[in-house]
Amino acid sequence: MDLHDKEIMPEEILPVVIIGNGPSGICLSYLLSGYTPYLSPEASHPNPLLHSKLGEQPHLSLLEQDLEYLCEGLEGRSSNPVALLFDSLLLPDSDFGLDHTSPLEWRYEPERAITHLVLGKGPPGGAWHAMEGSMLTLSLANWMELPGLKLKDWMREKRRNVRNDRATPAEIASYYQHYVSQMSLEQSFACGTTVTSVTRQPGNQEGAPPCWRVSGLQHREGEELADGSAVSEAVPFSVSAHNVVLATGTHDIPARLGVEGESLPYVCHSFWELEAAISRGELDQSSDPVLVVGAGLTAADAVLAAHHLNTPVYHAFRRSVTDPGLIFNELPKLLYPEYHKVHQMMTRQQYQPSPPPQDHAQNLHDHSTPSSLLPSSSSTSSPLSSYSGYLSFPRYRVVALRPDRKCVLESDSGQRTVVQISKALVLIGAHPNLSFLGDNGRSLGVNPDEPITCRRNPIEVDPYTNKVVAADGPGMYAMGPLVGENFVRFLKGGALAIASDLAKTQRVGGRGLATDRWVDRQVTTQTEAKVCVGDS
């Protein structure tokens, strides 16, 4: 959708504006477009209590039921109760590796649709498009699919053999983009948009109610040059909305260590910089070790990528390998065998500074071949279980990075070790870009004194509606990684909570969520709407 062509009138107030077109925004758009979940009359759920509750009012859609009541007693891998509910209904008992049929059936009921606008910087799929080209695969187990379109079915249509339920990030990005087209959601998506401001506007004397003002730039191809290329231009836009949903994800700004030498050329803050170095042939088995800093899934991907090339790896992270908060201790081993392998490496190949400095530590300092990374007398692993070319540094932090590519590591007991490296990959998470909010949205966090992060300080929301607790006014919601849900599997619960709350508001307020003129124009322009197309 080209916002300039839509001729949105200044006095119009849209029902909903969603900022972010990744899987969070796509799933919410699906629910707001009239696709409605019901309990299938023939279905049963393996949780007898939940099945009994759902059967009490089978004529009501899930959007009309009491979510808090349905959530009672559910347990799982998310702290969000609605996420657990929706996940349990979409993928019953998936934590146990079972493939039960969902008891939900989806009905298209256009009369329930709530008009909305989805804003995104790139094509539908969000950050998944930035991951394209990865040689790694991610475990699927249907966890990354969205309602109404089975990922396996879509993969089969592409005639690709999906071994062990795995696919590349590029394929997942393509799936999300295809999903928007398949479900006829394109007319609600405005791609190439960068939001620069979200403010609360008071009502005026002419009777206009208070609302949210969303302003920014839409990048589009402008005048064509003689050589066939086109000049890109940024066109300002500004829309008003009764409700605004923050769904931007948290991968925009890589977190930094804040140590000496972090800006040196050999220090990277993105996995894709590692892939670029690999594609340029800069790393191989004769390279000095790559230092991977961090203990999340992206850091694990980097370890696997380097290990695949037989490039030696040093792996430093602040937590203990047995820390229950470590993501590897939360993932099912059968569904994530590669990440389980990394966790084994972290556990079995730990650096132990017990020998004299001239022995192991000196090898670390002067290392130039992978052989010095083999288990030594100071290693906790046995020769039979060793992972050649890998050494972990649990409960260590980076103190300094030097121009000669030496890195100073310090344990939590204060002992320092110097290692020679070829590259440093600092993969310790990322912060969302909430520059369109005052003070980058800090006031909305659980701890308003700290920056918003997915794991440590998410945006505080009501657990059953996803309304932002500290918003400047009513009608602001947040979902996805912004509220602590990193997995697509669970962020769908935020979409259910928001759609349910908006549906309730619509039932109470009649057409208060829709503008007749906007709705009419949406219908007449639906067949003419431009589809946002991106490479995948």
Side-chain angles (χ1 to χ4, degrees):
M1 177 196 294
D2 192 322
L3 288 174
H4 182 69
D5 292 342
K6 295 304 292 184
E7 296 180 355
I8 301 172
M9 303 304 293
E11 68 271 13
E12 287 184 306
I13 302 178
L14 307 184
V16 183
V17 169
I18 303 168
I19 304 174
N21 67 354
S24 295
I26 295 173
C27 188
L28 179 56
S29 175
Y30 178 75
L31 291 173
L32 296 183
S33 296
Y35 294 95
T36 311
Y38 288 84
L39 177 67
S40 175
E42 301 83 20
S44 62
H45 194 279
N47 183 324
L49 180 59
L50 178 56
H51 183 77
S52 175
K53 289 180 179 180
L54 289 168
E56 292 173 8
Q57 295 179 301
H59 61 288
L60 294 181
S61 73
L62 191 58
L63 298 176
E64 299 169 281
Q65 300 210 29
D66 184 343
L67 297 184
E68 185 171 359
Y69 171 65
L70 295 178
C71 289
E72 289 175 354
L74 295 179
E75 296 180 351
R77 299 179 184 277
S78 172
S79 58
N80 184 328
V82 182
L84 292 176
L85 170 66
F86 207 25
D87 178 70
S88 176
L89 293 172
L90 291 171
L91 302 167
D93 280 349
S94 61
D95 275 340
F96 303 105
L98 303 178
D99 192 18
H100 287 302
T101 301
S102 170
L104 296 180
E105 66 175 21
W106 291 86
R107 304 175 191 171
Y108 180 56
E109 300 175 331
E111 68 277 7
R112 292 183 183 271
I114 297 175
T115 307
H116 58 282
L117 179 63
V118 185
L119 305 176
K121 294 180 180 178
W128 285 94
H129 287 279
M131 304 178 194
E132 291 189 35
S134 173
M135 68 177 186
L136 299 177
T137 60
L138 299 175
S139 183
L140 290 183
N142 293 331
W143 289 4
M144 286 181 280
E145 69 185 22
L146 298 179
L149 180 61
K150 286 289 185 182
L151 184 57
K152 285 184 178 180
D153 294 343
W154 178 79
M155 294 297 288
R156 288 193 193 100
E157 288 180 7
K158 294 187 69 177
R159 298 185 180 181
R160 179 184 179 275
N161 182 25
V162 188
R163 294 187 60 193
N164 300 322
D165 289 342
R166 305 184 77 79
T168 66
E171 288 165 331
I172 298 300
S174 180
Y175 163 79
Y176 290 141
Q177 192 166 339
H178 175 78
Y179 183 93
V180 170
S181 175
Q182 180 74 19
M183 301 302 174
S184 300
L185 308 179
E186 310 102 316
Q187 70 273 9
S188 298
F189 280 69
C191 300
T193 53
T194 300
V195 175
T196 57
S197 174
V198 174
T199 55
R200 185 68 179 171
Q201 301 294 307
N204 59 34
Q205 295 178 345
E206 285 73 34
C211 63
W212 295 98
R213 193 72 176 169
V214 181
S215 303
L217 299 170
Q218 184 171 33
H219 303 273
R220 54 181 184 156
E221 296 301 320
E223 184 177 335
E224 186 172 325
L225 302 179
D227 61 1
S229 63
V231 178
S232 178
E233 59 179 345
V235 181
F237 72 87
S238 186
V239 296
S240 297
H242 292 294
N243 302 276
V244 63
V245 181
L246 308 178
T248 59
T250 62
H251 301 288
D252 291 319
I253 305 172
R256 298 178 68 88
L257 295 167
V259 300
E260 174 191 347
E262 191 170 5
S263 297
L264 289 168
Y266 69 89
V267 182
C268 307
H269 292 82
S270 138
F271 173 79
W272 319 116
E273 292 179 81
L274 171 65
E275 285 204 321
I278 291 173
S279 66
R280 293 192 297 264
E282 296 177 7
L283 298 172
D284 57 32
Q285 60 185 5
S286 64
S287 305
D288 280 334
V290 170
L291 172 66
V292 177
V293 183
L297 298 184
T298 305
D301 287 341
V303 169
L304 290 169
H307 198 65
H308 179 75
L309 292 177
N310 292 320
T311 300
V313 177
Y314 293 143
H315 188 188
F317 43 95
R318 298 295 302 270
R319 295 176 181 265
S320 163
V321 292
T322 58
D323 190 320
L326 200 68
I327 186 65
F328 306 102
N329 293 321
E330 301 175 9
L331 297 175
K333 295 178 182 179
L334 292 177
L335 296 175
Y336 288 86
E338 292 183 4
Y339 292 139
H340 177 57
K341 174 184 176 181
V342 173
H343 191 219
Q344 281 186 323
M345 296 164 70
M346 294 163 64
T347 303
R348 297 178 181 178
Q349 288 287 121
Q350 297 182 40
Y351 168 60
Q352 297 290 338
S354 51
Q358 63 269 21
D359 181 11
H360 191 77
Q362 189 64 37
N363 281 341
L364 284 172
H365 183 80
D366 296 331
H367 169 70
S368 60
T369 65
S371 59
S372 63
L373 286 173
L374 291 172
S376 68
S377 58
S378 64
S379 174
T380 60
S381 64
S382 68
L384 293 177
S385 64
S386 65
Y387 292 95
S388 176
Y390 172 91
L391 194 63
S392 72
F393 290 80
R395 303 174 74 173
Y396 270 78
R397 67 185 184 96
V398 175
V399 176
L401 294 151
R402 298 174 179 169
D404 60 358
R405 297 181 184 255
K406 287 185 170 63
C407 175
V408 182
L409 299 174
E410 183 179 84
S411 70
D412 57 3
S413 63
Q415 184 165 357
R416 292 194 173 188
T417 300
V418 179
V419 294
Q420 181 74 54
I421 61 177
S422 60
K423 283 190 177 295
L425 277 83
V426 180
L427 304 172
I428 55 174
H431 301 297
N433 183 357
L434 297 176
S435 57
F436 53 82
L437 298 174
D439 196 22
N440 291 297
R442 281 196 182 205
S443 62
L444 307 182
V446 174
N447 182 352
D449 297 325
E450 297 291 332
I452 300 296
T453 61
C454 174
R455 293 181 71 85
R456 294 186 178 88
N457 190 38
I459 291 178
E460 186 175 10
V461 295
D462 180 279
Y464 299 102
T465 65
N466 274 52
K467 285 183 176 177
V468 177
V469 174
D472 290 338
M476 176 176 276
Y477 300 83
M479 64 184 302
L482 289 175
V483 300
E485 293 297 358
N486 248 336
F487 289 103
V488 175
R489 171 187 175 186
F490 292 122
L491 61 77
K492 291 174 280 193
L496 174 63
I498 295 170
S500 175
D501 194 59
L502 290 174
K504 178 181 178 181
T505 305
Q506 186 181 50
R507 291 195 299 272
V508 172
R511 291 187 62 83
L513 279 177
T515 304
D516 289 339
R517 180 168 38 178
W518 172 263
V519 173
D520 291 342
R521 188 154 65 244
Q522 284 288 86
V523 172
T524 58
T525 60
Q526 179 171 346
T527 58
E528 303 173 357
K530 295 181 179 180
V531 179
C532 301
V533 178
D535 295 335
S536 61

